[in-house]
Amino acid sequence: MHYRRSEHWVIVKGQAKVQVGKDNLLLHKNQSVYIPKECVHRIENVGDENVEFVETQIGDYLEEDDIVRYEDDFGRL
């Protein structure tokens, strides 16, 4: 989650399960999702190839210290 920015993700390769709030979406190449600020979000690869996506950050503050992590499979808490 971010307090000061929203994001727009565009899938450019692969398939992804994207959680936005309580919704789970299955996105494919050329599909996108808007993530409002203060909304919990997560992306997961669910296909056979790597997922690649473009993230556009929108807001008045885009620094990494605006990230709030609730769970992290990669130890970045």
Side-chain angles (χ1 to χ4, degrees):
M1 183 194 77
H2 310 280
Y3 286 109
R4 298 181 62 183
R5 74 174 181 237
S6 59
E7 295 178 341
H8 184 247
W9 292 352
V10 179
I11 306 300
V12 295
K13 180 180 172 186
Q15 298 179 59
K17 182 172 89 172
V18 177
Q19 175 191 352
V20 180
K22 294 183 179 181
D23 296 329
N24 286 297
L25 310 167
L26 182 61
L27 298 181
H28 302 272
K29 182 178 177 179
N30 296 324
Q31 293 183 311
S32 65
V33 63
Y34 175 76
I35 302 157
K37 66 181 178 177
E38 300 186 14
C39 187
V40 174
H41 54 283
R42 182 179 183 111
I43 189 167
E44 176 184 348
N45 183 5
V46 293
D48 294 331
E49 64 180 329
N50 289 337
V51 170
E52 294 180 10
F53 67 102
V54 174
E55 175 183 284
T56 303
Q57 301 172 350
I58 306 125
D60 63 352
Y61 186 79
L62 306 177
E63 300 301 322
E64 294 297 299
D65 62 352
D66 185 43
I67 297 172
V68 178
R69 297 193 192 279
Y70 295 97
E71 290 181 31
D72 192 316
D73 297 337
F74 304 101
R76 296 174 294 184
L77 289 174

Coordinates of all heavy atoms in Angstrom, one line a residue:
M1 N 0.8 -1.2 0.0 CA 0.0 0.0 0.0 C 0.9 1.2 0.0 O 2.0 1.2 0.5 CB -0.9 0.0 1.2 CG -1.8 1.1 1.3 SD -2.6 1.4 2.9 CE -1.3 2.1 3.8
H2 N 0.3 2.3 -0.5 CA 1.1 3.6 -0.5 C 0.1 4.7 0.0 O -1.1 4.7 -0.5 CB 1.6 4.0 -1.9 CG 2.3 2.9 -2.6 ND1 3.6 2.6 -2.3 CD2 1.9 2.0 -3.5 CE1 4.0 1.5 -3.0 NE2 3.0 1.1 -3.8
Y3 N 0.6 5.6 0.8 CA -0.3 6.7 1.3 C -0.4 7.8 0.3 O -1.4 8.5 0.2 CB 0.3 7.2 2.6 CG 0.0 6.3 3.8 CD1 1.0 5.6 4.4 CD2 -1.3 6.1 4.3 CE1 0.8 4.7 5.5 CE2 -1.6 5.3 5.3 CZ -0.5 4.6 5.9 OH -0.8 3.7 7.0
R4 N 0.7 8.0 -0.5 CA 0.8 9.2 -1.3 C 0.8 9.0 -2.8 O 1.0 10.0 -3.5 CB 2.0 10.1 -0.8 CG 1.8 10.5 0.6 CD 3.0 11.3 1.1 NE 3.1 12.5 0.4 CZ 4.1 13.4 0.6 NH1 5.0 13.2 1.6 NH2 4.1 14.5 -0.1
R5 N 0.7 7.8 -3.2 CA 0.7 7.6 -4.7 C -0.3 6.5 -5.1 O -0.6 5.6 -4.3 CB 2.1 7.2 -5.2 CG 2.6 5.8 -4.9 CD 3.9 5.6 -5.6 NE 4.4 4.2 -5.3 CZ 5.6 4.0 -4.8 NH1 6.4 5.0 -4.4 NH2 6.0 2.7 -4.6
S6 N -0.8 6.6 -6.3 CA -1.5 5.5 -6.9 C -0.6 4.9 -8.0 O 0.5 5.5 -8.3 CB -2.8 6.0 -7.5 OG -2.6 7.0 -8.5
E7 N -1.0 3.8 -8.6 CA -0.2 3.2 -9.6 C -1.1 2.6 -10.7 O -2.3 2.3 -10.5 CB 0.6 2.0 -9.0 CG 1.6 2.4 -8.0 CD 2.4 1.3 -7.3 OE1 1.9 0.1 -7.4 OE2 3.4 1.6 -6.8
H8 N -0.5 2.5 -11.9 CA -1.2 1.9 -13.0 C -0.2 0.9 -13.6 O 0.9 1.1 -13.9 CB -1.5 3.0 -14.1 CG -2.2 2.4 -15.3 ND1 -1.6 2.3 -16.5 CD2 -3.5 1.9 -15.4 CE1 -2.5 1.8 -17.3 NE2 -3.6 1.6 -16.7
W9 N -0.7 -0.4 -13.6 CA 0.1 -1.5 -14.1 C -0.4 -2.0 -15.4 O -1.6 -2.2 -15.6 CB 0.1 -2.7 -13.1 CG 0.7 -2.5 -11.8 CD1 1.5 -1.4 -11.3 CD2 0.7 -3.4 -10.6 NE1 1.9 -1.6 -10.0 CE2 1.4 -2.8 -9.6 CE3 0.1 -4.6 -10.4 CZ2 1.5 -3.4 -8.3 CZ3 0.2 -5.2 -9.2 CH2 0.9 -4.6 -8.2
V10 N 0.5 -2.2 -16.4 CA 0.2 -2.8 -17.7 C 1.0 -4.1 -17.8 O 2.2 -4.0 -17.8 CB 0.5 -1.8 -18.8 CG1 0.1 -2.4 -20.2 CG2 -0.2 -0.5 -18.6
I11 N 0.3 -5.2 -18.1 CA 1.0 -6.4 -18.3 C 1.5 -6.4 -19.8 O 0.8 -6.2 -20.7 CB 0.0 -7.6 -18.1 CG1 -0.6 -7.6 -16.7 CG2 0.8 -9.0 -18.3 CD1 0.3 -7.6 -15.6
V12 N 2.8 -6.7 -19.9 CA 3.4 -6.7 -21.3 C 3.8 -8.1 -21.7 O 4.1 -8.4 -22.8 CB 4.6 -5.7 -21.4 CG1 4.1 -4.3 -21.3 CG2 5.7 -6.0 -20.4
K13 N 3.9 -9.1 -20.7 CA 4.2 -10.4 -21.0 C 3.7 -11.3 -19.9 O 3.8 -11.0 -18.7 CB 5.7 -10.6 -21.1 CG 6.2 -12.0 -21.4 CD 7.8 -12.0 -21.5 CE 8.3 -13.4 -21.6 NZ 9.8 -13.4 -21.5
G14 N 3.1 -12.5 -20.3 CA 2.7 -13.5 -19.3 C 1.3 -13.2 -18.8 O 0.5 -12.5 -19.3
Q15 N 1.0 -14.0 -17.7 CA -0.3 -13.9 -17.0 C 0.0 -13.6 -15.5 O 0.9 -14.2 -14.9 CB -1.0 -15.2 -17.1 CG -1.4 -15.7 -18.5 CD -2.1 -17.0 -18.4 OE1 -3.1 -17.2 -17.8 NE2 -1.5 -18.0 -19.0
A16 N -0.9 -12.8 -14.9 CA -0.7 -12.4 -13.6 C -2.0 -12.4 -12.8 O -3.0 -12.0 -13.4 CB 0.0 -11.0 -13.5
K17 N -2.0 -12.8 -11.6 CA -3.1 -12.6 -10.7 C -2.8 -11.4 -9.9 O -1.7 -11.3 -9.2 CB -3.3 -13.8 -9.7 CG -4.5 -13.6 -8.8 CD -4.8 -14.9 -8.0 CE -4.0 -14.9 -6.7 NZ -4.4 -16.0 -5.8
V18 N -3.6 -10.4 -9.9 CA -3.4 -9.1 -9.3 C -4.5 -8.9 -8.2 O -5.7 -9.0 -8.5 CB -3.4 -8.0 -10.3 CG1 -3.3 -6.6 -9.6 CG2 -2.3 -8.2 -11.3
Q19 N -4.0 -8.7 -7.0 CA -5.0 -8.4 -5.9 C -5.0 -6.8 -5.8 O -3.9 -6.2 -5.6 CB -4.5 -9.0 -4.6 CG -5.4 -8.6 -3.4 CD -4.8 -8.9 -2.1 OE1 -3.8 -9.7 -2.0 NE2 -5.4 -8.4 -1.0
V20 N -6.2 -6.3 -5.8 CA -6.4 -4.9 -5.6 C -7.5 -4.8 -4.5 O -8.7 -5.0 -4.8 CB -6.8 -4.1 -6.9 CG1 -7.0 -2.6 -6.6 CG2 -5.7 -4.3 -7.9
G21 N -7.1 -4.4 -3.3 CA -8.1 -4.4 -2.2 C -8.5 -5.9 -2.0 O -7.7 -6.8 -1.9
K22 N -9.8 -6.1 -2.0 CA -10.4 -7.5 -1.8 C -10.6 -8.2 -3.2 O -11.0 -9.4 -3.2 CB -11.7 -7.4 -1.0 CG -11.4 -6.9 0.4 CD -12.7 -7.0 1.2 CE -12.4 -6.5 2.6 NZ -13.6 -6.5 3.5
D23 N -10.4 -7.5 -4.3 CA -10.6 -8.1 -5.6 C -9.4 -8.8 -6.1 O -8.3 -8.3 -6.0 CB -11.0 -7.0 -6.6 CG -12.3 -6.4 -6.2 OD1 -13.2 -7.0 -5.7 OD2 -12.5 -5.2 -6.6
N24 N -9.6 -10.0 -6.8 CA -8.5 -10.7 -7.5 C -8.8 -10.7 -8.9 O -9.9 -11.1 -9.3 CB -8.3 -12.1 -6.9 CG -7.7 -12.1 -5.5 OD1 -6.6 -11.7 -5.4 ND2 -8.4 -12.6 -4.5
L25 N -7.9 -10.2 -9.8 CA -8.1 -10.2 -11.2 C -7.0 -11.0 -11.9 O -5.9 -11.1 -11.4 CB -7.9 -8.7 -11.7 CG -8.7 -7.7 -10.9 CD1 -8.1 -6.3 -11.3 CD2 -10.1 -7.8 -11.2
L26 N -7.4 -11.7 -13.0 CA -6.5 -12.4 -13.8 C -6.2 -11.5 -15.1 O -7.1 -11.3 -15.8 CB -7.1 -13.8 -14.2 CG -6.1 -14.6 -15.1 CD1 -4.8 -15.0 -14.3 CD2 -6.8 -15.9 -15.5
L27 N -5.0 -11.1 -15.2 CA -4.6 -10.2 -16.3 C -3.6 -10.9 -17.2 O -2.8 -11.6 -16.8 CB -4.0 -8.9 -15.7 CG -4.9 -8.0 -14.8 CD1 -4.1 -6.8 -14.4 CD2 -6.2 -7.7 -15.5
H28 N -3.8 -10.6 -18.5 CA -3.0 -11.1 -19.6 C -2.3 -9.9 -20.3 O -2.6 -8.8 -20.0 CB -3.8 -11.9 -20.6 CG -4.6 -13.0 -20.0 ND1 -4.0 -14.3 -19.8 CD2 -5.8 -13.1 -19.4 CE1 -4.9 -15.0 -19.2 NE2 -6.0 -14.3 -19.0
K29 N -1.4 -10.3 -21.2 CA -0.7 -9.3 -22.0 C -1.7 -8.2 -22.6 O -2.8 -8.5 -23.0 CB 0.0 -10.0 -23.2 CG 0.8 -9.0 -24.1 CD 1.5 -9.8 -25.2 CE 2.3 -8.9 -26.1 NZ 3.0 -9.7 -27.1
N30 N -1.3 -6.9 -22.5 CA -2.0 -5.8 -22.9 C -3.2 -5.4 -22.1 O -4.0 -4.5 -22.4 CB -2.5 -5.9 -24.4 CG -1.3 -6.0 -25.3 OD1 -0.3 -5.3 -25.1 ND2 -1.4 -6.8 -26.4
Q31 N -3.4 -6.0 -20.9 CA -4.4 -5.6 -20.0 C -3.8 -4.8 -18.8 O -2.6 -4.9 -18.6 CB -5.2 -6.8 -19.4 CG -6.0 -7.6 -20.5 CD -6.8 -8.7 -19.9 OE1 -6.2 -9.5 -19.1 NE2 -8.0 -8.8 -20.2
S32 N -4.6 -4.0 -18.2 CA -4.0 -3.1 -17.2 C -5.0 -3.0 -16.0 O -6.2 -3.4 -16.0 CB -3.8 -1.7 -17.7 OG -5.0 -1.1 -18.1
V33 N -4.4 -2.4 -14.9 CA -5.2 -2.2 -13.7 C -4.8 -0.9 -13.0 O -3.6 -0.6 -13.1 CB -5.1 -3.4 -12.7 CG1 -3.7 -3.6 -12.2 CG2 -6.1 -3.2 -11.6
Y34 N -5.7 -0.2 -12.5 CA -5.4 1.1 -11.7 C -5.5 0.7 -10.3 O -6.4 0.1 -9.8 CB -6.4 2.2 -12.1 CG -6.2 3.4 -11.2 CD1 -5.2 4.3 -11.5 CD2 -7.1 3.7 -10.2 CE1 -5.0 5.4 -10.7 CE2 -6.9 4.8 -9.4 CZ -5.9 5.7 -9.7 OH -5.7 6.8 -8.9
I35 N -4.5 1.1 -9.5 CA -4.5 0.9 -8.1 C -4.5 2.2 -7.3 O -3.5 3.0 -7.4 CB -3.2 0.1 -7.7 CG1 -3.1 -1.2 -8.5 CG2 -3.1 -0.1 -6.2 CD1 -1.8 -1.8 -8.6
P36 N -5.6 2.5 -6.7 CA -5.7 3.8 -6.0 C -4.8 3.9 -4.8 O -4.4 2.8 -4.2 CB -7.2 3.9 -5.5 CG -7.9 2.7 -6.1 CD -6.8 1.8 -6.6
K37 N -4.4 5.1 -4.3 CA -3.6 5.2 -3.1 C -4.4 4.6 -2.0 O -5.6 4.6 -2.0 CB -3.1 6.6 -2.9 CG -4.2 7.6 -2.6 CD -3.5 9.0 -2.4 CE -4.6 10.0 -2.1 NZ -4.0 11.3 -1.9
E38 N -3.6 4.1 -1.0 CA -4.2 3.5 0.2 C -4.9 2.2 0.0 O -5.7 1.8 0.8 CB -5.0 4.5 1.0 CG -4.2 5.7 1.5 CD -5.0 6.7 2.4 OE1 -6.1 6.3 2.9 OE2 -4.6 7.8 2.6
C39 N -4.7 1.6 -1.1 CA -5.3 0.3 -1.5 C -4.2 -0.8 -1.5 O -3.2 -0.7 -2.1 CB -5.9 0.4 -2.9 SG -6.9 -1.0 -3.3
V40 N -4.5 -1.9 -0.7 CA -3.6 -3.0 -0.7 C -3.5 -3.6 -2.0 O -4.5 -3.8 -2.7 CB -4.0 -4.0 0.4 CG1 -3.2 -5.3 0.4 CG2 -4.0 -3.4 1.8
H41 N -2.3 -4.0 -2.5 CA -2.2 -4.6 -3.8 C -1.0 -5.6 -3.9 O -0.1 -5.4 -3.1 CB -2.0 -3.5 -4.9 CG -0.9 -2.5 -4.7 ND1 -1.0 -1.5 -3.8 CD2 0.3 -2.4 -5.3 CE1 0.1 -0.8 -3.8 NE2 0.9 -1.3 -4.7
R42 N -1.1 -6.5 -4.8 CA -0.1 -7.5 -4.9 C -0.2 -8.1 -6.3 O -1.3 -8.2 -6.9 CB -0.4 -8.6 -3.8 CG 0.6 -9.7 -3.8 CD 0.2 -10.7 -2.6 NE 1.1 -11.7 -2.5 CZ 1.9 -11.9 -1.5 NH1 1.9 -11.0 -0.5 NH2 2.8 -12.9 -1.4
I43 N 0.9 -8.6 -6.8 CA 0.9 -9.3 -8.1 C 1.6 -10.6 -8.0 O 2.6 -10.8 -7.2 CB 1.6 -8.4 -9.2 CG1 1.5 -9.0 -10.6 CG2 3.1 -8.2 -8.9 CD1 1.8 -8.1 -11.7
E44 N 1.1 -11.6 -8.7 CA 1.6 -13.0 -8.7 C 1.6 -13.6 -10.1 O 0.7 -13.5 -10.8 CB 0.7 -13.9 -7.8 CG 1.1 -15.3 -7.7 CD 0.1 -16.1 -6.9 OE1 -0.8 -15.5 -6.2 OE2 0.1 -17.3 -6.9
N45 N 2.7 -14.2 -10.4 CA 2.8 -14.9 -11.7 C 2.0 -16.2 -11.6 O 2.2 -17.0 -10.7 CB 4.3 -15.2 -12.0 CG 4.5 -15.9 -13.4 OD1 3.6 -16.0 -14.1 ND2 5.7 -16.2 -13.7
V46 N 1.1 -16.4 -12.6 CA 0.3 -17.6 -12.6 C 0.4 -18.4 -13.9 O -0.3 -19.4 -14.1 CB -1.2 -17.4 -12.3 CG1 -1.4 -16.9 -10.8 CG2 -1.8 -16.4 -13.3
G47 N 1.4 -18.0 -14.7 CA 1.6 -18.7 -16.0 C 2.9 -19.4 -16.1 O 3.6 -19.5 -15.1
D48 N 3.2 -20.0 -17.3 CA 4.4 -20.7 -17.5 C 5.6 -19.8 -17.8 O 6.7 -20.3 -17.8 CB 4.2 -21.7 -18.6 CG 3.2 -22.8 -18.3 OD1 3.1 -23.1 -17.1 OD2 2.5 -23.3 -19.2
E49 N 5.4 -18.6 -18.2 CA 6.5 -17.7 -18.6 C 6.5 -16.6 -17.5 O 5.6 -16.3 -16.8 CB 6.3 -17.1 -20.0 CG 5.1 -16.2 -20.2 CD 5.0 -15.7 -21.6 OE1 6.1 -15.5 -22.2 OE2 3.9 -15.5 -22.1
N50 N 7.6 -15.9 -17.5 CA 7.8 -14.8 -16.5 C 6.8 -13.7 -16.9 O 6.5 -13.4 -18.0 CB 9.2 -14.2 -16.6 CG 10.2 -15.1 -16.0 OD1 9.9 -15.9 -15.1 ND2 11.5 -14.9 -16.4
V51 N 6.3 -13.0 -15.8 CA 5.4 -11.9 -16.0 C 6.3 -10.6 -16.1 O 7.2 -10.5 -15.3 CB 4.4 -11.7 -14.8 CG1 3.7 -10.4 -14.9 CG2 3.5 -12.8 -14.8
E52 N 6.0 -9.8 -17.0 CA 6.6 -8.5 -17.1 C 5.5 -7.5 -17.2 O 4.5 -7.6 -17.8 CB 7.5 -8.4 -18.4 CG 8.7 -9.3 -18.4 CD 9.6 -9.2 -19.6 OE1 9.3 -8.3 -20.4 OE2 10.4 -10.0 -19.8
F53 N 5.7 -6.4 -16.4 CA 4.7 -5.3 -16.4 C 5.3 -4.0 -16.2 O 6.4 -3.9 -15.7 CB 3.6 -5.6 -15.3 CG 4.1 -5.5 -13.9 CD1 3.8 -4.3 -13.1 CD2 4.8 -6.5 -13.3 CE1 4.2 -4.2 -11.8 CE2 5.2 -6.4 -12.0 CZ 4.9 -5.3 -11.2
V54 N 4.7 -3.0 -16.7 CA 5.1 -1.6 -16.6 C 4.3 -1.0 -15.4 O 3.1 -1.1 -15.4 CB 4.9 -0.8 -17.9 CG1 5.2 0.7 -17.7 CG2 5.7 -1.4 -19.0
E55 N 5.0 -0.3 -14.5 CA 4.3 0.4 -13.4 C 4.5 1.9 -13.6 O 5.6 2.3 -13.6 CB 4.9 -0.1 -12.1 CG 4.4 0.7 -10.9 CD 5.1 0.2 -9.6 OE1 4.8 -0.9 -9.1 OE2 5.9 1.0 -9.1
T56 N 3.4 2.6 -13.6 CA 3.4 4.0 -13.6 C 3.0 4.5 -12.3 O 1.9 4.1 -11.8 CB 2.5 4.6 -14.7 OG1 2.9 4.1 -16.0 CG2 2.6 6.1 -14.8
Q57 N 3.8 5.3 -11.6 CA 3.4 5.8 -10.3 C 2.9 7.3 -10.5 O 3.5 8.1 -11.2 CB 4.7 5.8 -9.4 CG 5.2 4.5 -9.2 CD 6.6 4.5 -8.5 OE1 7.2 5.5 -8.2 NE2 7.0 3.3 -8.1
I58 N 1.8 7.5 -9.8 CA 1.1 8.8 -9.9 C 0.9 9.4 -8.5 O 0.3 8.8 -7.6 CB -0.3 8.7 -10.6 CG1 -0.1 8.0 -11.9 CG2 -0.9 10.0 -10.7 CD1 -1.0 6.8 -12.0
G59 N 1.5 10.6 -8.3 CA 1.3 11.3 -7.0 C 2.3 12.3 -6.7 O 3.2 12.6 -7.5
D60 N 2.2 13.0 -5.6 CA 3.1 14.1 -5.2 C 4.4 13.6 -4.5 O 5.2 14.4 -4.3 CB 2.3 15.1 -4.4 CG 1.9 14.6 -3.0 OD1 2.0 13.4 -2.8 OD2 1.4 15.4 -2.2
Y61 N 4.4 12.3 -4.2 CA 5.6 11.8 -3.5 C 5.8 10.3 -4.0 O 4.9 9.5 -3.8 CB 5.4 11.9 -2.0 CG 6.6 11.5 -1.2 CD1 7.6 12.3 -1.0 CD2 6.7 10.2 -0.6 CE1 8.8 12.0 -0.3 CE2 7.8 9.8 0.1 CZ 8.8 10.7 0.3 OH 9.9 10.4 1.1
L62 N 6.9 10.0 -4.6 CA 7.1 8.7 -5.2 C 8.3 7.9 -4.6 O 8.7 7.0 -5.2 CB 7.3 8.9 -6.7 CG 6.3 9.7 -7.5 CD1 6.6 9.8 -8.9 CD2 4.9 9.0 -7.3
E63 N 8.7 8.3 -3.4 CA 9.9 7.6 -2.8 C 9.5 6.3 -2.2 O 8.3 6.0 -1.9 CB 10.5 8.5 -1.7 CG 10.9 9.9 -2.2 CD 12.0 9.8 -3.3 OE1 12.9 8.9 -3.2 OE2 12.0 10.6 -4.2
E64 N 10.5 5.4 -2.0 CA 10.3 4.1 -1.6 C 9.8 4.0 -0.1 O 9.2 3.0 0.3 CB 11.6 3.3 -1.7 CG 12.0 3.0 -3.2 CD 11.0 2.2 -3.9 OE1 10.7 1.1 -3.5 OE2 10.4 2.7 -4.9
D65 N 10.1 5.1 0.7 CA 9.6 5.0 2.1 C 8.1 5.2 2.2 O 7.6 5.2 3.3 CB 10.4 6.0 3.0 CG 10.2 7.4 2.6 OD1 9.6 7.7 1.5 OD2 10.7 8.3 3.3
D66 N 7.4 5.3 1.1 CA 5.9 5.4 1.2 C 5.3 4.0 1.0 O 4.1 3.9 1.0 CB 5.4 6.3 0.0 CG 3.9 6.5 0.1 OD1 3.4 6.7 1.2 OD2 3.3 6.5 -1.0
I67 N 6.1 3.0 1.0 CA 5.6 1.6 0.9 C 5.3 1.0 2.2 O 6.1 1.1 3.2 CB 6.7 0.7 0.2 CG1 7.0 1.2 -1.2 CG2 6.2 -0.8 0.2 CD1 8.1 0.4 -1.9
V68 N 4.1 0.5 2.4 CA 3.6 -0.2 3.6 C 3.5 -1.6 3.2 O 2.7 -2.0 2.4 CB 2.3 0.4 4.1 CG1 1.9 -0.4 5.4 CG2 2.4 1.9 4.4
R69 N 4.3 -2.5 3.8 CA 4.2 -4.0 3.5 C 3.5 -4.7 4.7 O 3.8 -4.6 5.8 CB 5.6 -4.6 3.4 CG 6.3 -3.9 2.2 CD 7.6 -4.8 1.9 NE 8.4 -4.1 1.0 CZ 8.3 -4.0 -0.3 NH1 7.2 -4.6 -0.9 NH2 9.1 -3.3 -1.1
Y70 N 2.4 -5.5 4.3 CA 1.7 -6.3 5.3 C 2.2 -7.7 5.3 O 2.2 -8.3 6.3 CB 0.2 -6.2 4.9 CG -0.4 -4.9 5.1 CD1 -0.5 -4.0 3.9 CD2 -0.8 -4.4 6.3 CE1 -1.0 -2.8 4.1 CE2 -1.3 -3.1 6.4 CZ -1.4 -2.3 5.3 OH -1.9 -1.0 5.4
E71 N 2.5 -8.2 4.1 CA 3.1 -9.5 4.0 C 4.2 -9.4 2.9 O 4.0 -8.6 2.0 CB 2.1 -10.6 3.5 CG 1.1 -10.9 4.6 CD 0.1 -12.0 4.0 OE1 0.5 -12.8 3.2 OE2 -1.1 -12.0 4.4
D72 N 5.2 -10.3 3.0 CA 6.2 -10.2 2.0 C 6.9 -11.6 1.9 O 7.5 -12.0 2.9 CB 7.3 -9.2 2.3 CG 8.2 -8.9 1.2 OD1 8.7 -9.8 0.5 OD2 8.5 -7.7 0.9
D73 N 6.8 -12.2 0.8 CA 7.4 -13.6 0.6 C 8.9 -13.5 0.4 O 9.5 -14.5 0.3 CB 6.8 -14.2 -0.7 CG 5.3 -14.5 -0.5 OD1 4.8 -14.6 0.7 OD2 4.6 -14.7 -1.5
F74 N 9.4 -12.3 0.3 CA 10.8 -12.1 -0.1 C 11.6 -11.4 1.0 O 12.7 -11.0 0.8 CB 10.9 -11.3 -1.4 CG 10.2 -11.9 -2.5 CD1 8.9 -11.4 -2.9 CD2 10.7 -13.0 -3.2 CE1 8.2 -12.0 -3.9 CE2 10.0 -13.6 -4.2 CZ 8.7 -13.1 -4.5
G75 N 11.1 -11.3 2.2 CA 11.8 -10.8 3.4 C 12.1 -9.3 3.4 O 13.1 -8.9 4.0
R76 N 11.2 -8.5 2.7 CA 11.5 -7.1 2.7 C 10.7 -6.3 3.7 O 10.6 -5.1 3.6 CB 11.1 -6.6 1.3 CG 11.9 -7.2 0.2 CD 11.4 -6.7 -1.2 NE 10.1 -7.3 -1.3 CZ 9.4 -7.2 -2.4 NH1 9.8 -6.5 -3.5 NH2 8.2 -7.8 -2.5
L77 N 10.2 -6.9 4.8 CA 9.4 -6.2 5.7 C 10.2 -5.1 6.4 O 11.2 -5.1 6.9 CB 8.9 -7.2 6.8 CG 7.8 -8.1 6.2 CD1 7.4 -9.1 7.3 CD2 6.6 -7.3 5.9

